[in-house]
């Protein structure tokens, strides 16, 4: 089969790494890909949001199956357009992608179908949002309704902070994404992510993971796209996973069918585990990044047939096998990230990691130049290692990182601390 993966981050490198290993895959393309992906796939310089160009490329190249990595092309209708052109694609329709692309849509759906989440309210008028916040008091959570690359959420400790967040959204900080505002009760507990393949009301649970969003050690400082991740997540006991499947994943899949927006693809539930059990923080309509970089190395089964079965509606009798080992991914970023940072420095020593067992360096913001790996983004590498438990995987990931020579990069040295301190 000819397969096309859409995207250019570490998640897409992990997808390409897994798909390239499938006996079903004859030729793998990635649009636009990155320096690491070019080792697994033919990279084609097409922007993930250039839907016409992607559809034309898929048609003219005879692509059999497209796997869409990020949320923005899904929300823009890439899968709808590919399918309408007769090209099979993995991922939800634009309508179903509203689960991530409109936080208000997701909250309303959960409320209508009794799926546990925080109290919330939706506003198109900033003045009404400010009133609501003053009545409720702080702490309180202020969100842009639409896609804001994970940066549209303010967990406000004070009224002043919440008010400033509303004003910033009203002034267009996130453009159209903030033209509607969602205000939520602050949920307390420990966050975890759970993933499932879904087609209509058929659900195939995958596994859980946790990520570190903040840039600083101890999970402090500004939020980023993710500085590291690990799987399994010790907080997700078998009992809790079962509750997440029964109380969140299956009901939301059924609700989407009921509403006429049948869901197809991977569903990522971000949950807060508190005293009353799991509650929905958010849904994402794609694999997590950097969670994908720890999920796929644990998958013993072939990923590609599972993605095809999801698209074809044949998940019901599908089974996937997972390594019992833990996987941990440490993200390396350019110094300054998530603020200003420089591009164009060389990363040396990556070939040493090729010789290590059970260590994989997934690339994000990199490009190849005359055989050299050059940085081209903020988050640059995700170094994943497997181990008997999270502590062993962590030790091996840092051992690998210490072999790299990249003076203008940094990483957090405490990825997995919560899992390790709880064991
Ligand atoms: P979201 O993109 O909606 O998941 O929000 C990003 C992050 O903000 C989450 O991963 C949480 O850490 C935090 N967050 C979002 N909503 C809430 C909430 N209602 N209560 C507490 N924290 C939240
Ligand atoms: N790691 C968080 C996300 O992918 O949204």
């Amino acid at each position: 089969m000819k397969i096309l993966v859409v995207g250019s981050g570490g998640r897409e490198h992990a997808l390409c790494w897994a798909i390239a290993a499938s006996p079903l895959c004859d030729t793998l393309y990635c649009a636009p890909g990155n320096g690491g992906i070019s080792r697994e796939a033919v990279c084609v310089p097409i922007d993930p949001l250039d839907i016409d160009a992607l559809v034309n490329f898929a048609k003219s190249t005879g692509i059999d199956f497209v796997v869409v990595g990020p949320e923005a092309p899904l929300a823009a209708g890439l899968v709808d357009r590919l399918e309408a052109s007769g090209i099979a694609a993995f991922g939800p329709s634009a309508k179903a992608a509203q689960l991530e692309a409109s936080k208000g849509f997701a909250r309303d759906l959960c409320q209508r179908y009794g799926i546990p989440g925080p109290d919330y309210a939706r506003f198109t008028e900033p003045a009404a949002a400010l009133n609501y916040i003053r009545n409720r008091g702080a702490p309180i959570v202020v969100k842009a309704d639409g896609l804001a690359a994970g940066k549209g959420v303010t967990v406000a400790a004070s009224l002043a902070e919440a008010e400033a967040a509303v004003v910033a959204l009203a002034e267009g900080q996130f453009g159209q994404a903030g033209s509607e505002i969602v205000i939520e009760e602050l949920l307390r507990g420990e966050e975890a992510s759970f993933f499932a393949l879904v087609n209509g009301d058929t659900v195939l649970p995958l596994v859980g993971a946790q990520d570190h969003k903040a840039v600083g050690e101890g999970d402090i400082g500004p939020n980023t796209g993710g500085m590291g991740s690990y799987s399994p997540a010790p907080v997700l006991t078998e009992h809790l996973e079962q509750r997440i499947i029964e109380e969140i994943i299956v009901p939301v899949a059924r609700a989407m069918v009921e509403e006429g927006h049948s869901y197809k693809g991977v569903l990522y539930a971000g949950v807060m585990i508190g005293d009353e059990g799991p509650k929905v923080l958010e849904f994402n309509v794609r694999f997590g990044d950097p969670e994908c970089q720890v999920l796929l190395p644990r998958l013993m089964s072939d990923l590609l047939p599972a993605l095809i079965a999801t698209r074809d509606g044949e998940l019901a009798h599908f089974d996937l096998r997972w390594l019992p080992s833990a996987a941990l991914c440490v993200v390396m970023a350019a110094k300054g990230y998530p603020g200003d940072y420089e591009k164009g420095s060389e990363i040396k020593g990556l070939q040493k990691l090729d010789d290590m067992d059970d260590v994989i360096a997934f690339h994000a913001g990199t490009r190849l130049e005359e055989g050299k790996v050059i940085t081209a983004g903020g988050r640059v590498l995700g170094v994943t290692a497997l181990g008997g438990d999270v502590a062993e995987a962590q030790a091996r990931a840092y051992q690998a990182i210490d072999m790299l020579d990249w003076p203008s990069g940094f990483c957090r040295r405490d990825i997995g601390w919560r899992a390790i301190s709880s064991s």
Side-chain angles (χ1 to χ4, degrees):
M1 293 178 82
K2 285 185 178 174
I3 313 291
L4 169 66
V5 171
V6 175
S8 63
R11 164 184 48 213
E12 288 76 25
H13 192 184
L15 287 167
C16 286
W17 171 82
I19 292 170
S22 170
L24 286 178
C25 176
D26 298 313
T27 317
L28 179 61
Y29 297 87
C30 186
N34 62 37
I37 291 175
S38 61
R39 283 169 54 160
E40 332 271 356
V42 180
C43 292
V44 284
I46 305 178
D47 188 287
L49 282 172
D50 191 345
I51 293 185
D52 288 336
L54 288 169
V55 172
N56 287 340
F57 173 78
K59 280 208 288 209
S60 61
T61 314
I63 297 290
D64 298 293
F65 191 62
V66 180
V67 178
V68 184
E71 62 279 11
L74 293 167
L78 177 57
V79 167
D80 311 63
R81 285 282 304 283
L82 288 165
E83 292 280 356
S85 305
I87 298 155
F90 176 83
S93 65
K95 284 255 158 66
Q98 285 180 92
L99 262 186
E100 174 168 359
S102 166
K103 291 181 188 297
F105 171 92
R107 287 285 178 237
D108 286 353
L109 189 88
C110 288
Q111 190 173 59
R112 269 203 301 286
Y113 290 85
I115 298 164
D119 286 344
Y120 74 100
R122 302 175 71 171
F123 299 94
T124 47
E125 290 303 323
L130 290 172
N131 255 338
Y132 179 84
I133 287 173
R134 287 172 193 139
N135 283 333
R136 298 284 302 216
I140 196 155
V141 182
V142 179
K143 299 185 174 183
D145 180 72
L147 294 180
K151 298 177 182 94
V153 174
T154 303
V155 177
S158 67
L159 265 187
E161 205 184 331
E163 287 170 1
V166 169
V167 170
L169 291 178
E171 286 174 351
Q173 182 189 21
F174 296 106
Q176 262 309 103
S179 63
E180 185 169 340
I181 298 171
V182 181
I183 313 277
E184 297 181 359
E185 164 199 9
L186 179 90
L187 295 178
R188 294 179 199 276
E190 187 170 340
E191 271 185 76
S193 309
F194 193 78
F195 299 83
L197 295 175
V198 175
N199 183 313
D201 55 11
T202 308
V203 164
L204 177 64
L206 302 176
V207 291
Q210 281 177 299
D211 71 342
H212 294 269
K213 292 192 171 66
V215 71
E217 279 158 21
D219 295 313
I220 54 165
N223 268 354
T224 69
M227 294 302 291
S229 58
Y230 48 93
S231 172
V235 65
L236 294 181
T237 58
E238 219 170 287
H239 173 71
L240 269 172
E241 284 196 354
Q242 211 45 46
R243 285 191 63 182
I244 292 169
I245 295 164
E246 285 167 15
E247 296 170 25
I248 296 172
I249 306 275
V250 170
V252 88
R254 289 194 180 136
M256 291 295 278
V257 173
E258 196 75 11
E259 299 282 316
H261 307 313
S262 182
Y263 190 90
K264 198 178 56 171
V266 60
L267 180 64
Y268 159 166
V271 296
M272 187 70 93
I273 313 289
D275 295 342
E276 298 167 22
K279 290 190 178 181
V280 175
L281 279 169
E282 62 167 343
F283 290 113
N284 295 312
V285 298
R286 50 168 175 86
F287 283 104
D289 187 340
E291 289 93 328
C292 194
Q293 292 91 306
V294 290
L295 294 194
L296 297 186
R298 291 189 60 216
L299 179 62
M300 293 163 77
S301 310
D302 188 351
L303 173 71
L304 184 55
L307 301 182
I308 295 171
T310 305
R311 184 268 171 191
D312 290 347
E314 285 166 8
L315 270 183
H317 306 291
F318 222 85
D319 198 17
L320 290 173
R321 295 179 61 221
W322 298 89
L323 283 175
S325 330
L328 182 134
C329 173
V330 179
V331 168
M332 298 198 72
K335 276 183 190 159
Y337 174 83
D340 292 338
Y341 55 84
E342 284 188 3
K343 297 178 184 173
S345 56
E346 183 185 352
I347 306 172
K348 293 187 190 148
L350 275 164
Q351 64 290 349
K352 292 186 204 148
L353 275 52
D354 290 342
D355 300 333
M356 293 179 77
D357 287 335
D358 294 330
V359 168
I360 316 155
F362 292 118
H363 291 221
T366 70
R367 61 188 166 83
L368 289 187
E369 204 176 279
E370 292 163 2
K372 294 178 182 162
V373 177
I374 307 293
T375 68
R379 287 193 299 165
V380 169
L381 292 176
V383 176
T384 296
L386 289 164
D389 55 19
V390 174
E392 194 189 336
Q394 185 204 53
R396 304 196 59 227
Y398 285 118
Q399 192 190 348
I401 278 178
D402 289 340
M403 292 164 73
L404 295 176
D405 176 8
W406 180 33
S408 41
F410 78 98
C411 65
R412 278 179 56 170
R413 300 296 308 193
D414 66 343
I415 300 304
W417 68 268
R418 202 186 298 271
I420 293 165
S421 65
S422 73
S423 61

